[in-house]
Amino acid sequence: MTINRAELADFLRCSRERVRPEEVGLPAGARRRTPGLRREEVAQLTGMSVDYYTRLEQARGPKPSTQLLAALARALRLSGDERDHLHLLAGHQPPAGRATGDHVSPGLLHLLDRLSTTPAQVLNDLGDVLAQNEIARALLGGVCTVSEHGRNVVWRWFADPAARTAYPAEEHEHYSRLHVADLRAATGRRSGDAASTRLVERLRERSAEFAALWERHEVAVRRHTRMRVLHPAIGPVDLDCQVLLAPEGDQRLVLFTPPPGTDAAGRLALLDVVGTQSFTPAG
């Protein structure tokens, strides 16, 4: 990523002028000609030289390291969004934010219920199904109440052969690669995370197919795919799978919509009438 020196300089100056000296344990003093902190005070708080910080504010400094950016974010009392903006202006990816976890917001749950004719579900970035609306449960099977890896779509795909019966056999290899590449991206963001490490270890022990695909180190965040579900009550139905990522990145809302020019809309309408049946849950 390329550093944007002009924008970085302006952001640092504005952020410095917004911080009151007493907020960082410095005396306010009576002879301050400018609002906020002085350049030398920012340098003192971050452990850098005054000359180095001055060059940053004059849009002529070198590209700062992530360690230096972290020190600046603390010294300037930046919020999480401001910290991420600082990193981007300096030519770095923002650090990973605090994960949302398994809690699904009431607003998102309300949205799921309002999508009465569109199958939708909320997953975390590891593939755990956290919430589904009624028509998604009828289409894919309800798994939200299953604990640990039982509600994880990647685990079920590789550890439970019956889970694949809801998909055409000729597409199994394609879906396997999609699952592994998306999980690779998630574990990269969750470096050192216990939950992702445990999931990958168990998958490698359980499935030779997963272990082999994992060694290929393919990485791709799943955003949009076309899929076919073989439902026992309404037959095969083609769907566009649209993935909407939350700002935190560890939860996503997945919508299953009928592609134009297909009979999927009619089949989903029939499913709304038929309701849930006893069949193998699909991912």
Side-chain angles (χ1 to χ4, degrees), residues 203-217:
L203 279 165
R204 295 182 73 175
E205 293 172 358
R206 182 67 173 265
S207 169
E209 179 191 12
F210 176 89
L213 290 173
W214 190 255
E215 292 303 315
R216 297 171 67 165
H217 212 125

Side-chain angles (χ1 to χ4, degrees), residues 129-206:
V129 180
L130 306 179
Q132 297 171 294
N133 60 9
E134 285 293 336
I135 193 169
R137 283 190 286 271
L139 176 69
L140 303 171
V143 296
C144 295
T145 59
V146 180
S147 61
E148 186 66 277
H149 299 322
R151 64 177 179 174
N152 185 277
V153 296
V154 187
W155 172 262
R156 296 201 329 271
W157 181 262
F158 288 100
D160 181 9
R164 302 193 181 196
T165 60
Y167 298 93
E170 63 272 18
E171 297 181 5
H172 288 182
E173 181 181 356
H174 170 68
Y175 288 131
S176 293
R177 292 181 63 184
L178 280 180
H179 282 312
V180 175
D182 187 67
L183 184 59
R184 262 290 186 186
T187 57
R189 294 188 300 268
R190 287 171 169 249
S191 179
D193 172 71
S196 60
T197 300
R198 183 171 63 250
L199 176 60
V200 171
E201 287 177 349
R202 290 196 63 193
L203 279 165
R204 295 182 73 175
E205 293 172 358
R206 182 67 173 265

Side-chain angles (χ1 to χ4, degrees), residues 66-129:
T66 55
Q67 292 83 359
L68 186 55
L69 293 175
L72 281 169
R74 290 191 297 270
L76 298 174
R77 296 298 191 265
L78 299 184
S79 67
D81 291 338
E82 291 169 333
R83 176 207 61 192
D84 292 350
H85 185 64
L86 174 68
H87 276 74
L88 291 170
L89 293 179
H92 293 283
Q93 285 291 341
R98 183 171 59 184
T100 305
D102 289 354
H103 174 72
V104 181
S105 70
L108 196 50
L109 292 174
H110 176 74
L111 176 60
L112 280 181
D113 290 338
R114 298 287 291 177
L115 295 169
S116 58
T117 61
T118 300
Q121 57 189 20
V122 178
L123 292 83
N124 68 12
D125 56 338
L126 297 180
D128 294 332
V129 180

Side-chain angles (χ1 to χ4, degrees), residues 236-254:
V237 53
D238 292 315
L239 296 165
D240 283 328
C241 178
Q242 182 70 51
V243 181
L244 307 178
L245 302 179
E248 294 81 6
D250 66 328
Q251 285 188 4
R252 61 273 312 266
L253 172 65
V254 185

